[in-house]
Coordinates of all heavy atoms in Angstrom, one line a residue:
K1 N -40.6 -54.8 16.9 CA -39.8 -54.4 15.8 C -40.7 -53.7 14.8 O -40.4 -52.7 14.2 CB -39.1 -55.6 15.2 CG -38.1 -55.2 14.2 CD -37.2 -56.4 13.8 CE -36.1 -55.9 12.9 NZ -35.3 -57.0 12.5
R2 N -41.9 -54.3 14.5 CA -42.8 -53.7 13.6 C -43.3 -52.3 14.1 O -43.5 -51.4 13.3 CB -44.0 -54.7 13.4 CG -45.1 -54.1 12.6 CD -44.8 -54.2 11.1 NE -45.9 -53.8 10.4 CZ -45.8 -53.0 9.3 NH1 -44.7 -52.7 8.8 NH2 -46.9 -52.7 8.6
F3 N -43.5 -52.2 15.4 CA -44.0 -50.9 16.0 C -43.0 -49.8 15.7 O -43.3 -48.7 15.4 CB -44.2 -51.1 17.5 CG -44.6 -49.9 18.2 CD1 -45.9 -49.3 18.0 CD2 -43.7 -49.2 19.0 CE1 -46.2 -48.1 18.6 CE2 -44.1 -48.0 19.6 CZ -45.3 -47.5 19.5
M4 N -41.7 -50.1 15.9 CA -40.6 -49.1 15.7 C -40.6 -48.7 14.2 O -40.3 -47.6 13.9 CB -39.2 -49.6 16.1 CG -39.1 -49.8 17.6 SD -39.4 -48.3 18.5 CE -37.9 -47.4 18.1
A5 N -40.8 -49.6 13.3 CA -40.8 -49.3 11.9 C -42.0 -48.4 11.5 O -41.9 -47.5 10.7 CB -40.8 -50.6 11.0
D6 N -43.1 -48.6 12.2 CA -44.3 -47.8 12.0 C -44.1 -46.4 12.5 O -44.7 -45.5 11.9 CB -45.5 -48.4 12.6 CG -46.0 -49.7 11.9 OD1 -45.6 -49.9 10.7 OD2 -46.7 -50.5 12.5
L7 N -43.3 -46.2 13.5 CA -43.1 -44.8 14.0 C -42.3 -44.0 13.0 O -42.5 -42.8 13.0 CB -42.3 -44.9 15.3 CG -43.1 -45.4 16.6 CD1 -42.1 -45.4 17.8 CD2 -44.2 -44.4 16.8
R8 N -41.5 -44.6 12.2 CA -40.7 -43.8 11.3 C -41.4 -43.5 10.0 O -40.9 -42.7 9.2 CB -39.4 -44.5 11.0 CG -38.5 -44.6 12.2 CD -37.2 -45.2 11.9 NE -36.4 -45.3 13.1 CZ -35.4 -46.1 13.2 NH1 -35.0 -46.8 12.2 NH2 -34.7 -46.1 14.3
L9 N -42.5 -44.2 9.7 CA -43.2 -44.0 8.5 C -44.5 -43.3 8.8 O -45.3 -43.7 9.6 CB -43.5 -45.3 7.8 CG -42.3 -46.1 7.4 CD1 -42.7 -47.5 6.8 CD2 -41.5 -45.4 6.3
K10 N -44.8 -42.2 8.1 CA -46.0 -41.4 8.2 C -46.7 -41.4 6.9 O -46.1 -41.3 5.8 CB -45.7 -40.0 8.7 CG -45.0 -39.9 10.0 CD -46.0 -40.1 11.1 CE -45.2 -39.9 12.4 NZ -46.0 -40.0 13.6
R11 N -48.0 -41.5 6.9 CA -48.8 -41.5 5.7 C -49.3 -40.1 5.4 O -50.0 -39.5 6.3 CB -49.9 -42.5 5.8 CG -50.6 -42.8 4.5 CD -51.6 -43.9 4.7 NE -51.1 -45.2 4.4 CZ -50.7 -45.7 3.3 NH1 -50.7 -45.0 2.2 NH2 -50.3 -46.9 3.2
L12 N -49.0 -39.5 4.3 CA -49.5 -38.2 3.9 C -50.2 -38.4 2.6 O -49.6 -38.4 1.5 CB -48.3 -37.2 3.7 CG -47.5 -36.8 5.0 CD1 -46.3 -36.0 4.6 CD2 -48.4 -36.1 6.0
G13 N -51.5 -38.5 2.7 CA -52.3 -38.8 1.5 C -52.0 -40.1 1.0 O -52.1 -41.1 1.7
D14 N -51.6 -40.2 -0.3 CA -51.2 -41.5 -0.9 C -49.7 -41.8 -0.7 O -49.3 -42.9 -1.0 CB -51.5 -41.5 -2.4 CG -53.0 -41.4 -2.6 OD1 -53.8 -41.9 -1.8 OD2 -53.4 -40.9 -3.7
A15 N -49.0 -40.8 -0.3 CA -47.5 -41.0 -0.2 C -47.1 -41.5 1.3 O -47.8 -41.1 2.2 CB -46.8 -39.8 -0.5
V16 N -46.1 -42.3 1.4 CA -45.6 -42.7 2.6 C -44.2 -42.0 2.8 O -43.4 -42.2 1.9 CB -45.4 -44.2 2.8 CG1 -44.8 -44.6 4.1 CG2 -46.8 -44.9 2.6
V17 N -44.0 -41.2 3.8 CA -42.8 -40.4 4.0 C -42.1 -41.0 5.2 O -42.7 -41.2 6.3 CB -43.2 -38.9 4.2 CG1 -41.9 -38.1 4.4 CG2 -44.0 -38.4 3.1
K18 N -40.8 -41.1 5.1 CA -39.9 -41.6 6.2 C -39.4 -40.4 6.9 O -38.8 -39.5 6.3 CB -38.8 -42.5 5.7 CG -37.9 -43.0 6.8 CD -36.7 -43.7 6.2 CE -35.8 -44.3 7.3 NZ -35.1 -43.3 8.0
F19 N -39.6 -40.4 8.2 CA -39.1 -39.3 9.1 C -37.9 -39.9 9.8 O -37.9 -41.0 10.3 CB -40.2 -38.8 10.1 CG -41.3 -38.0 9.5 CD1 -42.5 -38.6 9.1 CD2 -41.1 -36.7 9.2 CE1 -43.5 -37.9 8.6 CE2 -42.0 -35.9 8.6 CZ -43.3 -36.5 8.3
E20 N -36.8 -39.1 9.9 CA -35.7 -39.5 10.6 C -35.6 -38.8 12.0 O -36.1 -37.6 12.1 CB -34.4 -39.2 9.9 CG -34.1 -37.8 9.5 CD -32.9 -37.7 8.7 OE1 -32.4 -38.6 8.1 OE2 -32.4 -36.5 8.6
S21 N -35.1 -39.4 13.0 CA -35.0 -38.8 14.3 C -33.9 -37.7 14.3 O -33.1 -37.7 13.4 CB -34.8 -39.8 15.4 OG -33.5 -40.4 15.2
N22 N -33.9 -37.0 15.4 CA -32.9 -35.9 15.5 C -31.5 -36.5 15.6 O -30.5 -36.0 15.1 CB -33.2 -35.1 16.7 CG -32.3 -33.8 16.8 OD1 -31.9 -33.4 15.8 ND2 -32.1 -33.3 18.0
V23 N -31.4 -37.7 16.2 CA -30.1 -38.4 16.4 C -29.6 -38.9 15.0 O -28.4 -38.7 14.7 CB -30.2 -39.6 17.4 CG1 -28.9 -40.3 17.4 CG2 -30.6 -39.1 18.7
E24 N -30.5 -39.4 14.2 CA -30.1 -39.9 12.9 C -29.7 -38.7 12.0 O -28.7 -38.8 11.2 CB -31.3 -40.6 12.2 CG -31.6 -41.9 12.8 CD -32.9 -42.5 12.3 OE1 -33.8 -41.7 11.9 OE2 -32.9 -43.7 12.2
H25 N -30.4 -37.6 12.1 CA -30.0 -36.4 11.3 C -28.6 -35.9 11.8 O -27.8 -35.5 10.9 CB -31.1 -35.3 11.5 CG -30.7 -34.0 10.9 ND1 -30.6 -33.8 9.5 CD2 -30.3 -32.8 11.4 CE1 -30.3 -32.6 9.3 NE2 -30.1 -31.9 10.4
Q26 N -28.4 -35.8 13.1 CA -27.1 -35.3 13.5 C -25.9 -36.2 13.1 O -24.8 -35.8 12.9 CB -27.1 -35.1 15.0 CG -27.8 -33.9 15.5 CD -27.6 -33.6 16.9 OE1 -26.8 -34.2 17.6 NE2 -28.4 -32.7 17.5
F27 N -26.2 -37.5 13.1 CA -25.2 -38.5 12.7 C -24.7 -38.3 11.3 O -23.6 -38.6 10.9 CB -25.6 -39.9 13.0 CG -24.6 -40.9 12.7 CD1 -23.5 -41.1 13.6 CD2 -24.6 -41.7 11.6 CE1 -22.5 -42.0 13.3 CE2 -23.7 -42.7 11.3 CZ -22.6 -42.8 12.2
Q28 N -25.6 -37.9 10.4 CA -25.3 -37.7 9.0 C -24.5 -36.4 8.7 O -24.0 -36.3 7.6 CB -26.6 -37.7 8.2 CG -27.3 -39.0 8.1 CD -28.6 -39.0 7.4 OE1 -29.1 -37.9 7.0 NE2 -29.3 -40.1 7.3
L29 N -24.5 -35.5 9.7 CA -23.7 -34.3 9.5 C -22.2 -34.5 9.5 O -21.8 -35.5 10.1 CB -24.1 -33.2 10.6 CG -25.6 -32.8 10.6 CD1 -25.8 -31.9 11.8 CD2 -25.9 -32.1 9.3
S30 N -21.4 -33.6 9.0 CA -20.0 -33.8 9.0 C -19.5 -33.4 10.4 O -20.0 -32.6 11.1 CB -19.3 -32.9 8.0 OG -19.6 -31.5 8.3
P31 N -18.4 -34.1 10.8 CA -17.9 -33.9 12.2 C -17.1 -32.5 12.3 O -16.6 -32.1 11.3 CB -16.9 -35.0 12.4 CG -16.5 -35.5 11.1 CD -17.7 -35.2 10.2
Y32 N -17.2 -31.9 13.4 CA -16.5 -30.6 13.6 C -15.1 -31.0 14.1 O -14.9 -31.5 15.1 CB -17.2 -29.8 14.7 CG -16.6 -28.4 14.9 CD1 -16.6 -27.5 13.9 CD2 -16.1 -28.1 16.2 CE1 -16.1 -26.2 14.2 CE2 -15.5 -26.8 16.4 CZ -15.6 -25.9 15.4 OH -15.0 -24.7 15.6
E33 N -14.1 -30.6 13.3 CA -12.7 -31.0 13.6 C -12.2 -30.3 14.9 O -11.9 -31.0 15.8 CB -11.8 -30.6 12.4 CG -12.2 -31.3 11.1 CD -12.1 -32.8 11.2 OE1 -11.2 -33.3 11.9 OE2 -12.9 -33.5 10.6
S34 N -12.0 -29.0 14.8 CA -11.5 -28.3 16.0 C -11.7 -26.8 15.8 O -11.8 -26.3 14.7 CB -10.0 -28.6 16.3 OG -9.2 -27.9 15.4
P35 N -11.8 -26.1 16.9 CA -11.9 -24.6 16.8 C -10.6 -23.9 16.6 O -10.6 -22.7 16.5 CB -12.5 -24.3 18.2 CG -12.0 -25.3 19.1 CD -11.9 -26.6 18.3
F36 N -9.5 -24.6 16.3 CA -8.2 -24.0 16.2 C -8.2 -23.0 15.0 O -7.7 -21.9 15.1 CB -7.1 -25.0 16.0 CG -5.8 -24.4 15.8 CD1 -5.1 -23.9 16.8 CD2 -5.2 -24.3 14.5 CE1 -3.8 -23.3 16.7 CE2 -4.0 -23.8 14.3 CZ -3.3 -23.3 15.4
D37 N -8.8 -23.4 13.8 CA -8.8 -22.5 12.7 C -9.7 -21.2 12.9 O -9.3 -20.1 12.5 CB -9.4 -23.2 11.5 CG -8.4 -24.3 11.0 OD1 -7.2 -24.2 11.3 OD2 -8.9 -25.3 10.4
D38 N -10.8 -21.4 13.7 CA -11.6 -20.2 14.0 C -10.9 -19.3 14.9 O -10.9 -18.0 14.7 CB -12.9 -20.7 14.6 CG -13.7 -21.6 13.7 OD1 -13.6 -21.4 12.5 OD2 -14.5 -22.4 14.2
Y39 N -10.2 -19.8 15.9 CA -9.4 -18.9 16.8 C -8.2 -18.3 16.1 O -7.9 -17.1 16.3 CB -8.9 -19.7 18.0 CG -10.0 -20.1 19.0 CD1 -10.0 -21.4 19.6 CD2 -11.1 -19.3 19.2 CE1 -11.0 -21.8 20.5 CE2 -12.1 -19.7 20.1 CZ -12.0 -20.9 20.7 OH -13.0 -21.3 21.6
A40 N -7.5 -19.1 15.3 CA -6.3 -18.6 14.6 C -6.7 -17.4 13.7 O -5.9 -16.4 13.6 CB -5.7 -19.7 13.8
E41 N -7.8 -17.5 13.0 CA -8.2 -16.4 12.1 C -8.4 -15.1 12.9 O -8.0 -14.0 12.5 CB -9.5 -16.8 11.4 CG -10.0 -15.8 10.4 CD -11.3 -16.3 9.7 OE1 -11.6 -17.5 9.8 OE2 -11.9 -15.5 9.1
M42 N -9.0 -15.2 14.1 CA -9.3 -14.0 14.9 C -8.0 -13.4 15.5 O -7.8 -12.2 15.6 CB -10.3 -14.2 16.0 CG -11.7 -14.4 15.4 SD -12.9 -14.5 16.7 CE -14.4 -14.6 15.8
I43 N -7.0 -14.3 15.8 CA -5.8 -13.9 16.4 C -4.9 -13.2 15.3 O -4.3 -12.2 15.6 CB -5.0 -15.1 17.0 CG1 -5.8 -15.5 18.3 CG2 -3.6 -14.7 17.3 CD1 -5.3 -16.8 18.9
I44 N -4.9 -13.7 14.1 CA -4.2 -13.1 13.0 C -4.8 -11.7 12.7 O -4.1 -10.7 12.5 CB -4.2 -14.0 11.8 CG1 -3.3 -15.2 12.0 CG2 -3.7 -13.2 10.6 CD1 -3.4 -16.2 11.0
Q45 N -6.1 -11.6 12.8 CA -6.7 -10.3 12.5 C -6.4 -9.3 13.7 O -6.1 -8.1 13.4 CB -8.3 -10.5 12.5 CG -9.0 -9.2 12.2 CD -10.5 -9.3 12.4 OE1 -10.9 -9.9 13.3 NE2 -11.2 -8.8 11.4
F46 N -6.3 -9.8 14.9 CA -5.9 -8.9 16.0 C -4.5 -8.4 15.8 O -4.2 -7.2 16.0 CB -6.0 -9.7 17.3 CG -5.5 -8.9 18.5 CD1 -6.2 -7.8 19.0 CD2 -4.3 -9.2 19.1 CE1 -5.8 -7.1 20.1 CE2 -3.8 -8.5 20.2 CZ -4.5 -7.4 20.7
G47 N -3.6 -9.2 15.3 CA -2.2 -8.8 15.0 C -2.2 -7.7 13.9 O -1.4 -6.8 14.1
Y48 N -3.0 -7.9 12.9 CA -3.0 -6.9 11.8 C -3.6 -5.6 12.4 O -3.1 -4.5 12.0 CB -3.8 -7.4 10.6 CG -3.0 -8.2 9.7 CD1 -3.4 -9.5 9.4 CD2 -1.8 -7.8 9.1 CE1 -2.7 -10.3 8.5 CE2 -1.1 -8.6 8.3 CZ -1.5 -9.9 8.0 OH -0.8 -10.7 7.2
V49 N -4.6 -5.6 13.2 CA -5.2 -4.4 13.7 C -4.2 -3.7 14.6 O -4.1 -2.4 14.5 CB -6.5 -4.7 14.5 CG1 -7.0 -3.6 15.3 CG2 -7.6 -5.2 13.5
T50 N -3.5 -4.4 15.5 CA -2.5 -3.7 16.3 C -1.3 -3.2 15.5 O -0.8 -2.2 15.9 CB -2.1 -4.6 17.4 OG1 -1.5 -5.8 16.9 CG2 -3.2 -4.9 18.4
L51 N -0.9 -3.9 14.5 CA 0.2 -3.5 13.7 C -0.1 -2.2 12.9 O 0.7 -1.3 12.8 CB 0.6 -4.6 12.7 CG 1.8 -4.4 11.8 CD1 3.1 -4.3 12.7 CD2 1.9 -5.5 10.8
F52 N -1.3 -2.1 12.4 CA -1.6 -1.0 11.5 C -2.6 0.0 12.2 O -3.2 0.9 11.5 CB -2.3 -1.4 10.2 CG -1.3 -2.2 9.4 CD1 -1.5 -3.6 9.2 CD2 -0.2 -1.6 8.7 CE1 -0.6 -4.3 8.4 CE2 0.6 -2.3 7.9 CZ 0.4 -3.7 7.8
A53 N -2.6 0.0 13.5 CA -3.5 0.9 14.3 C -3.1 2.4 14.1 O -4.0 3.3 14.0 CB -3.5 0.6 15.7
A54 N -1.9 2.6 14.0 CA -1.4 4.0 13.8 C -1.7 4.6 12.5 O -2.0 5.7 12.3 CB 0.1 4.1 14.1
A55 N -1.7 3.7 11.4 CA -1.9 4.1 10.1 C -3.4 4.2 9.8 O -3.8 5.1 9.0 CB -1.2 3.2 9.1
F56 N -4.2 3.4 10.3 CA -5.6 3.3 10.0 C -6.4 3.0 11.3 O -6.7 1.9 11.6 CB -5.9 2.3 8.9 CG -7.3 2.3 8.4 CD1 -7.9 3.4 7.9 CD2 -8.1 1.1 8.5 CE1 -9.2 3.4 7.5 CE2 -9.4 1.1 8.0 CZ -9.9 2.2 7.5
P57 N -6.8 4.0 12.1 CA -7.4 3.8 13.4 C -8.8 3.2 13.2 O -9.3 2.5 14.2 CB -7.5 5.2 14.0 CG -6.5 6.0 13.3 CD -6.4 5.4 11.9
M58 N -9.5 3.4 12.1 CA -10.8 2.8 11.9 C -10.8 1.3 11.7 O -11.8 0.6 11.8 CB -11.5 3.4 10.7 CG -12.0 4.8 11.0 SD -13.3 4.9 12.2 CE -14.6 4.1 11.3
A59 N -9.6 0.7 11.6 CA -9.5 -0.7 11.4 C -10.0 -1.5 12.6 O -10.6 -2.6 12.5 CB -8.0 -1.1 11.1
A60 N -9.9 -0.9 13.8 CA -10.4 -1.6 15.0 C -11.9 -1.7 15.0 O -12.5 -2.7 15.4 CB -9.9 -0.8 16.2
V61 N -12.6 -0.6 14.5 CA -14.0 -0.7 14.4 C -14.5 -1.7 13.4 O -15.4 -2.5 13.6 CB -14.6 0.7 14.0 CG1 -16.1 0.7 13.8 CG2 -14.2 1.7 15.1
F62 N -13.8 -1.7 12.2 CA -14.2 -2.7 11.2 C -13.9 -4.1 11.7 O -14.6 -5.1 11.4 CB -13.4 -2.4 9.9 CG -13.8 -1.2 9.2 CD1 -12.9 -0.4 8.6 CD2 -15.1 -0.8 9.2 CE1 -13.3 0.8 8.0 CE2 -15.5 0.4 8.6 CZ -14.6 1.2 8.0
A63 N -12.8 -4.3 12.4 CA -12.5 -5.6 13.0 C -13.5 -6.1 14.0 O -13.9 -7.2 14.0 CB -11.1 -5.6 13.6
L64 N -14.0 -5.1 14.8 CA -15.1 -5.5 15.8 C -16.3 -5.9 15.0 O -16.9 -6.9 15.4 CB -15.4 -4.3 16.7 CG -16.5 -4.5 17.6 CD1 -16.2 -5.5 18.7 CD2 -16.9 -3.1 18.3
L65 N -16.7 -5.2 14.0 CA -17.9 -5.6 13.2 C -17.7 -6.9 12.6 O -18.6 -7.8 12.6 CB -18.2 -4.5 12.2 CG -18.7 -3.2 12.7 CD1 -18.9 -2.2 11.6 CD2 -20.0 -3.3 13.5
N66 N -16.5 -7.1 12.0 CA -16.2 -8.4 11.4 C -16.3 -9.6 12.4 O -16.8 -10.6 12.1 CB -14.9 -8.4 10.8 CG -14.5 -9.7 10.1 OD1 -15.4 -10.3 9.5 ND2 -13.3 -10.1 10.1
N67 N -15.8 -9.3 13.6 CA -15.8 -10.4 14.7 C -17.2 -10.7 15.1 O -17.5 -11.8 15.5 CB -14.9 -10.0 15.8 CG -13.4 -10.1 15.5 OD1 -13.1 -10.8 14.5 ND2 -12.6 -9.5 16.2
L68 N -18.0 -9.7 15.2 CA -19.4 -9.9 15.6 C -20.1 -10.8 14.6 O -20.8 -11.8 14.9 CB -20.2 -8.6 15.8 CG -19.7 -7.7 17.0 CD1 -20.5 -6.4 16.9 CD2 -20.0 -8.5 18.3
I69 N -19.9 -10.5 13.3 CA -20.6 -11.3 12.2 C -19.9 -12.7 12.2 O -20.6 -13.7 12.1 CB -20.4 -10.6 10.9 CG1 -21.3 -9.3 10.9 CG2 -20.9 -11.4 9.7 CD1 -21.0 -8.3 9.8
E70 N -18.6 -12.7 12.3 CA -17.9 -14.0 12.3 C -18.3 -14.9 13.4 O -18.5 -16.1 13.3 CB -16.4 -13.8 12.3 CG -15.6 -15.0 12.2 CD -14.8 -15.1 11.0 OE1 -14.5 -14.1 10.4 OE2 -14.3 -16.2 10.7
G71 N -18.5 -14.3 14.6 CA -18.9 -15.1 15.8 C -20.3 -15.8 15.6 O -20.5 -16.9 15.9
R72 N -21.2 -15.0 15.0 CA -22.5 -15.5 14.7 C -22.5 -16.6 13.6 O -23.2 -17.6 13.7 CB -23.5 -14.4 14.4 CG -23.7 -13.4 15.4 CD -24.3 -14.0 16.7 NE -25.6 -14.4 16.5 CZ -26.3 -15.0 17.4 NH1 -25.8 -15.3 18.6 NH2 -27.6 -15.4 17.2
S73 N -21.7 -16.4 12.6 CA -21.6 -17.4 11.5 C -20.9 -18.6 12.0 O -21.3 -19.7 11.6 CB -21.0 -16.8 10.3 OG -19.6 -16.5 10.6
D74 N -19.9 -18.5 12.9 CA -19.3 -19.7 13.4 C -20.2 -20.5 14.3 O -20.2 -21.7 14.3 CB -18.0 -19.3 14.2 CG -16.9 -18.9 13.3 OD1 -16.9 -19.2 12.0 OD2 -15.9 -18.3 13.7
A75 N -21.0 -19.8 15.1 CA -22.0 -20.4 16.0 C -23.0 -21.2 15.1 O -23.4 -22.3 15.5 CB -22.7 -19.4 16.9
F76 N -23.5 -20.6 14.1 CA -24.4 -21.2 13.2 C -23.8 -22.5 12.6 O -24.4 -23.5 12.5 CB -24.9 -20.3 12.1 CG -25.8 -20.9 11.1 CD1 -27.2 -21.1 11.4 CD2 -25.4 -21.4 9.9 CE1 -28.0 -21.7 10.5 CE2 -26.2 -22.0 8.9 CZ -27.5 -22.1 9.3
K77 N -22.5 -22.3 12.1 CA -21.8 -23.5 11.5 C -21.7 -24.6 12.5 O -22.0 -25.8 12.2 CB -20.4 -23.0 11.1 CG -19.6 -24.1 10.6 CD -18.2 -23.6 10.1 CE -17.4 -23.3 11.4 NZ -16.1 -22.9 11.1
I78 N -21.4 -24.3 13.8 CA -21.2 -25.4 14.8 C -22.6 -26.0 15.1 O -22.7 -27.3 15.2 CB -20.5 -24.8 16.0 CG1 -19.1 -24.5 15.7 CG2 -20.6 -25.8 17.2 CD1 -18.4 -23.7 16.8
V79 N -23.6 -25.2 15.2 CA -24.9 -25.8 15.7 C -25.7 -26.5 14.6 O -26.3 -27.5 14.8 CB -25.7 -24.6 16.3 CG1 -27.1 -25.1 16.6 CG2 -25.1 -24.1 17.5
Q80 N -25.6 -25.9 13.3 CA -26.5 -26.4 12.3 C -25.8 -27.4 11.3 O -26.4 -28.2 10.7 CB -27.1 -25.3 11.5 CG -28.0 -24.4 12.3 CD -29.3 -25.1 12.7 OE1 -29.8 -25.9 12.0 NE2 -29.8 -24.8 13.9
E81 N -24.5 -27.1 11.0 CA -23.9 -27.9 9.9 C -22.9 -29.0 10.3 O -22.5 -29.8 9.5 CB -23.1 -26.9 9.1 CG -24.0 -25.8 8.4 CD -23.2 -24.8 7.6 OE1 -21.9 -25.0 7.5 OE2 -23.8 -23.9 7.0
H82 N -22.6 -29.1 11.6 CA -21.7 -30.1 12.1 C -22.4 -30.9 13.2 O -23.2 -30.4 14.0 CB -20.4 -29.5 12.6 CG -19.6 -28.9 11.5 ND1 -18.9 -29.6 10.6 CD2 -19.4 -27.6 11.2 CE1 -18.3 -28.8 9.7 NE2 -18.6 -27.5 10.1
R83 N -21.9 -32.2 13.4 CA -22.4 -32.9 14.5 C -21.7 -32.6 15.8 O -20.7 -31.9 15.7 CB -22.3 -34.4 14.2 CG -20.9 -35.0 14.3 CD -20.9 -36.5 14.2 NE -21.0 -36.9 12.8 CZ -20.4 -37.9 12.3 NH1 -19.6 -38.7 13.1 NH2 -20.4 -38.2 11.0
R84 N -22.3 -33.0 16.9 CA -21.7 -32.7 18.2 C -20.3 -33.3 18.3 O -20.1 -34.4 17.8 CB -22.6 -33.2 19.3 CG -23.9 -32.5 19.4 CD -24.7 -33.1 20.5 NE -26.0 -32.5 20.5 CZ -26.9 -32.7 21.4 NH1 -26.7 -33.6 22.4 NH2 -28.1 -32.1 21.4
P85 N -19.4 -32.6 19.0 CA -18.1 -33.2 19.1 C -18.1 -34.4 20.1 O -19.0 -34.5 21.0 CB -17.2 -32.1 19.7 CG -18.2 -31.1 20.3 CD -19.5 -31.3 19.5
E86 N -17.2 -35.4 19.9 CA -17.1 -36.5 20.7 C -16.6 -36.1 22.1 O -15.6 -35.4 22.2 CB -16.2 -37.6 20.1 CG -16.6 -38.2 18.8 CD -17.8 -39.1 19.0 OE1 -17.9 -39.8 20.1 OE2 -18.6 -39.2 18.1
P87 N -17.2 -36.6 23.2 CA -16.7 -36.2 24.5 C -15.4 -36.9 24.8 O -15.3 -38.1 24.4 CB -17.8 -36.6 25.4 CG -18.6 -37.6 24.7 CD -18.5 -37.3 23.2
S88 N -14.5 -36.2 25.4 CA -13.2 -36.8 25.7 C -12.9 -36.4 27.2 O -13.1 -35.3 27.6 CB -12.1 -36.4 24.8 OG -12.0 -35.0 24.8
G89 N -12.3 -37.3 27.9 CA -11.9 -37.1 29.3 C -10.6 -36.3 29.4 O -9.9 -36.2 28.4
A90 N -10.4 -35.7 30.5 CA -9.1 -35.0 30.8 C -8.5 -35.6 32.0 O -9.1 -36.1 32.9 CB -9.4 -33.5 31.0
Q91 N -7.2 -35.4 32.1 CA -6.4 -35.9 33.2 C -6.7 -35.1 34.5 O -6.8 -35.6 35.6 CB -4.9 -35.9 32.9 CG -4.5 -36.9 31.8 CD -4.5 -38.3 32.3 OE1 -4.8 -38.6 33.5 NE2 -4.3 -39.2 31.4
D92 N -6.7 -33.8 34.3 CA -6.9 -32.9 35.4 C -7.6 -31.6 34.9 O -8.0 -31.5 33.8 CB -5.6 -32.5 36.1 CG -4.6 -32.0 35.1 OD1 -4.9 -31.8 34.0 OD2 -3.4 -31.8 35.5
I93 N -7.7 -30.6 35.8 CA -8.4 -29.4 35.4 C -7.5 -28.7 34.4 O -7.9 -28.2 33.5 CB -8.6 -28.5 36.6 CG1 -9.6 -29.2 37.5 CG2 -9.2 -27.2 36.2 CD1 -9.8 -28.5 38.8

């Protein structure tokens, strides 16, 4: 037990700093609820682009750029700001 406590404490000069493991860090993050909101936002945007395509054809290009940026920001959010989702079983494929 003493050995495990020594692994988490490191001495830097006169200060003793506590290091947390990757598992402890991930446990402190907020849980990721579901990707439904992320998907719904893109589906609504697709609806608007198709609805107004005749009036503003450049909307498709702007939507593509927005989706590229949004995809990267959602990926960063899932990987860095939220903990891993709980695994759940499925009945079938």
Side-chain angles (χ1 to χ4, degrees):
K1 191 171 184 180
R2 175 79 177 138
F3 176 72
M4 292 302 287
D6 289 342
L7 284 178
R8 293 187 184 159
L9 297 176
K10 300 281 183 177
R11 192 174 270 290
L12 296 174
D14 293 334
V16 176
V17 179
K18 179 182 182 290
F19 287 100
E20 61 184 18
S21 69
N22 192 24
V23 175
E24 291 172 330
H25 174 69
Q26 284 187 12
F27 184 73
Q28 293 174 356
L29 297 175
S30 62
Y32 183 65
E33 298 299 326
S34 77
F36 179 76
D37 293 334
D38 297 333
Y39 291 143
E41 186 178 345
M42 290 189 177
I43 290 171
I44 290 170
Q45 182 189 45
F46 176 73
Y48 279 123
V49 167
T50 55
L51 182 67
F52 295 110
F56 186 56
M58 285 294 292
V61 175
F62 293 141
L64 175 67
L65 293 174
N66 181 36
N67 286 343
L68 292 175
I69 294 169
E70 179 120 17
R72 297 302 290 175
S73 66
D74 286 345
F76 177 79
K77 175 181 69 172
I78 292 170
V79 172
Q80 297 291 328
E81 297 178 1
H82 294 287
R83 76 172 80 143
R84 293 180 183 184
E86 294 287 330
S88 60
Q91 294 287 357
D92 55 5
I93 296 176

